Structure formats: structure tokens, C-alpha cells
Amino acid sequence: MEKIGVLMTTPMSNYLEQELAARFTLFKLWTQPCKNKIFQENSSAIRAVVGDTKCGADAELIDSLPTLEIVASYSVGLDKIDLDKCKDKGVRVTNTPDVLTDDVADLAVGLVLAVLRRVCEFDEFVKSGKWKNGHFELGSKFSGKSVGIVGLGRIGTAIAKRVEAFGCPISYHSRSEKSHANYKYYTNIIDLASNCHILIVACSLTEETHQIVNRKVIDALGPSGILINIGRGAHIDEPELVSALLEGRLGGAGLDVYENEPEVPEQMLGLNNVVLLPHVGSDTEETSKAMADLVIENLVAHFSNKPLLTPVV
């Protein structure tokens, strides 16, 4: 398979990069000063694209590669891939579900604890030496607080199972009621937000869920509510979130994703009731390797005329 060209759209994992280079002819899009040149000179050789949540495969890229056969996403999310274009062109698409579920769910709970128990503030309080000279404000209890989950798929369900251990009443909103779930179901997100202390966004990003958390939802959650987002930045109306935090209409937030990554609204940087992470939901050594292996296995299966392990298209 050494002669098969694979285009990697952006830096993702050193291990993945090494494994791709060992098996295929690897092209790195981000190293090219003129991206059009790589398409002009190698378009007929590139038969696969590997992308992620930052840079996937849009219509322009897909049209630039006439021999493209497969797009393998180093993520579970597919919002950076033009799925309709792939279907029209007969291009297969894979992602990396399941292997990252536990890490993202763990981080969601970690964000809840960090916001409620003021973990980052207290860490700074000790390291700065302030503990020797003063008192600190108390945090808030997690156990027993009501939790609402937006999207009860793999990750949402894993979050719910973890939250159960804290004795929290759980409810959820999704496109449809889940027969396997014993949690209260709300047909709309405003009712969900009105009936929980903590709202966790864990759904896929689609046209339907774009800015699903708007001013009305934030106001329904209220000044004692906590908003957690481990989905995609565009799930939240970011200017409205900033306004609510500054005006005290929302109690706090824990965010791993943002609308225009890596840009983060500057006004949030100085807020003590906000915990900000750099989109690291699945970024552990173990899971990064498992995701990379799944990308490789899907590519090898495709070019060996075997069934894909995690087909999307």
C-alpha cells in the first residue's frame, strides 16, 4: 500500500502520522505554503484523506481530489466533512466512535466538579501563597443536584452513568425518547434547562443543534445553573453565553469547545466561575492511540477490499 497517497489535513497525533507514513505515501497539507500546488501535483495519487475536528474534508477539497475513495476522521464528530458531497461522489467515510466515549464522559464530570467545587481557583489560591493570609469562598455541592443532558447517545449515556454515582436526578433532551433510558425525557431543551441545576451538552453538531443553547435556554437554566459543553462550540450562542455570565444570569460554565477554536472570547478569560479547556475531551495517550489505530484499520480494510470497521457513508 506504499504507493497509495493519503492526505493528512492538519497535525493530529505523532503516532498516527508515523503509522500513516509507514504504510502509505503521506502528504501533509499544513506543511504546504501553497495548498493548491499539492492538489495540482498529486491529486491523482491521493486516494484517502485523514481529517479531524479542526480540518476535515469540505466540498472544495473533495472536488480537488478526483481519485479520492475514503475520508477517515480522527474523531467521532463529522461536522467538518461534507457528507452529502461524499455520498454524491461515492466516497466512503469513517470515524472513531466508542474508543473516545469514556474519556469525554470523564472530562464532562471533571468540568462539573471543577466549576462547582472551584478546583482551579483553589489550586491558584494555594500555589500563589494566598492560603497563608486569608480565607476563601466556598464552592457548591455536586452530589444530589439535578443534571440535564442534551443528547443521549454514546457519550451522553456514559455521562449519565457516571452522574448516577453522585446521586443526581437525571433528565435529557434528544431528537427522540430513548427506550433503553430510565431517565425523564423532555421534548424541548427549554423545559429541560428549567428543570435542572446542571446542563451538559453532549449531542452531535447538526443544522438542528446549531446554537441549540440560546438566550432562552440560558435564562431557563438561570443564575444558579451551570452549563457544561463537551460537544461542539457552535452548540452554544457564544455572545449570549458571555453576556449571561457577565450579567450574573448564569451561575457558571465549564467549556472544552468553542465556536472559533482556538479563539476564546476574551471576556471569559478573567471569570472565576468559568473553567476553560483547550478541546481535550478525548486527548489521553491511551485514547489517542486507539483512535489512530482505528483510522489506520479502516484505511487498510478499505484498500484491502474488506468491510470498514466504523462506516458512516
Side-chain angles (χ1 to χ4, degrees):
M1 296 185 181
E2 293 85 357
K3 294 183 179 180
I4 296 173
V6 174
L7 177 68
M8 199 174 183
T9 61
T10 187
M12 302 170 204
S13 152
N14 289 335
Y15 171 75
L16 175 59
E17 193 173 320
Q18 292 166 5
E19 291 299 306
L20 288 171
R23 291 171 169 79
F24 307 99
T25 298
L26 182 61
F27 299 93
K28 304 175 189 177
L29 186 59
W30 71 95
T31 66
Q32 303 300 315
C34 179
K35 293 181 180 179
N36 288 334
K37 187 176 180 181
I38 194 172
F39 297 137
Q40 293 170 358
E41 296 179 354
N42 303 286
S43 62
S44 61
I46 296 172
R47 296 169 59 189
V49 168
V50 175
D52 68 356
T53 57
K54 297 184 289 293
C55 183
D58 58 18
E60 182 181 1
L61 185 145
I62 294 167
D63 283 336
S64 300
L65 301 172
T67 60
L68 181 64
E69 298 176 27
I70 183 171
V71 176
S73 181
Y74 180 70
S75 71
V76 67
L78 300 163
D79 50 287
K80 295 297 183 181
I81 300 173
D82 192 323
L83 296 178
D84 290 335
K85 175 66 74 170
C86 287
K87 291 175 184 176
D88 291 343
K89 294 273 189 177
V91 175
R92 302 302 307 273
V93 178
T94 64
N95 63 348
T96 58
D98 298 320
V99 293
L100 50 71
T101 298
D102 285 339
D103 278 345
V104 179
D106 289 349
L107 193 74
V109 174
L111 280 169
V112 175
L113 285 166
V115 175
L116 288 175
R117 298 302 305 271
R118 309 177 73 146
V119 172
C120 299
E121 286 184 76
F122 291 159
D123 176 74
E124 191 276 335
F125 188 80
V126 174
K127 290 179 178 177
S128 66
K130 294 178 183 176
W131 193 16
K132 300 174 183 178
N133 304 313
H135 298 285
F136 49 82
E137 294 184 34
L138 297 179
S140 182
K141 187 176 182 178
F142 180 19
S143 296
K145 278 189 167 59
S146 55
V147 174
I149 301 173
V150 184
L152 203 69
R154 294 182 183 92
I155 293 173
T157 299
I159 292 170
K161 289 179 179 178
R162 284 155 173 76
V163 169
E164 283 181 357
F166 289 85
C168 297
I170 300 167
S171 53
Y172 71 100
H173 165 70
S174 61
R175 284 176 294 181
S176 59
E177 189 170 1
K178 308 298 181 184
S179 58
H180 66 273
N182 293 319
Y183 315 121
K184 183 173 178 57
Y185 172 66
Y186 286 97
T187 57
N188 71 79
I189 189 174
I190 294 178
D191 286 345
L192 176 69
S194 298
N195 288 279
C196 68
H197 290 102
I198 302 158
L199 186 67
I200 302 176
V201 182
C203 55
S204 299
L205 181 61
T206 64
E207 290 184 9
E208 184 182 13
T209 63
H210 181 263
Q211 293 194 352
I212 190 171
V213 179
N214 53 28
R215 185 185 181 96
K216 290 181 179 179
V217 174
I218 292 170
D219 285 344
L221 191 55
S224 62
I226 302 296
L227 178 63
I228 304 295
N229 190 9
I230 46 80
R232 290 289 183 269
H235 281 132
I236 297 176
D237 185 330
E238 216 163 66
E240 287 292 348
L241 172 61
V242 172
S243 296
L245 289 165
L246 292 173
E247 296 167 9
R249 290 186 289 111
L250 183 67
L255 309 173
D256 185 45
V257 289
Y258 312 89
E259 191 165 9
N260 298 300
E261 296 177 5
E263 300 299 323
V264 178
E266 188 173 352
Q267 291 166 299
M268 286 202 290
L269 301 181
L271 297 178
N272 290 333
N273 59 340
V274 179
V275 175
L276 307 173
L277 300 180
H279 201 154
V280 293
S282 61
D283 289 354
T284 64
E285 292 182 6
E286 298 88 347
T287 293
S288 293
K289 183 179 182 299
M291 290 168 63
D293 286 339
L294 189 50
V295 168
I296 296 292
E297 289 165 8
N298 273 310
L299 291 175
V300 170
H302 174 76
F303 291 115
S304 301
N305 295 314
K306 295 180 180 179
L308 299 175
L309 281 77
T310 54
V312 177
V313 174

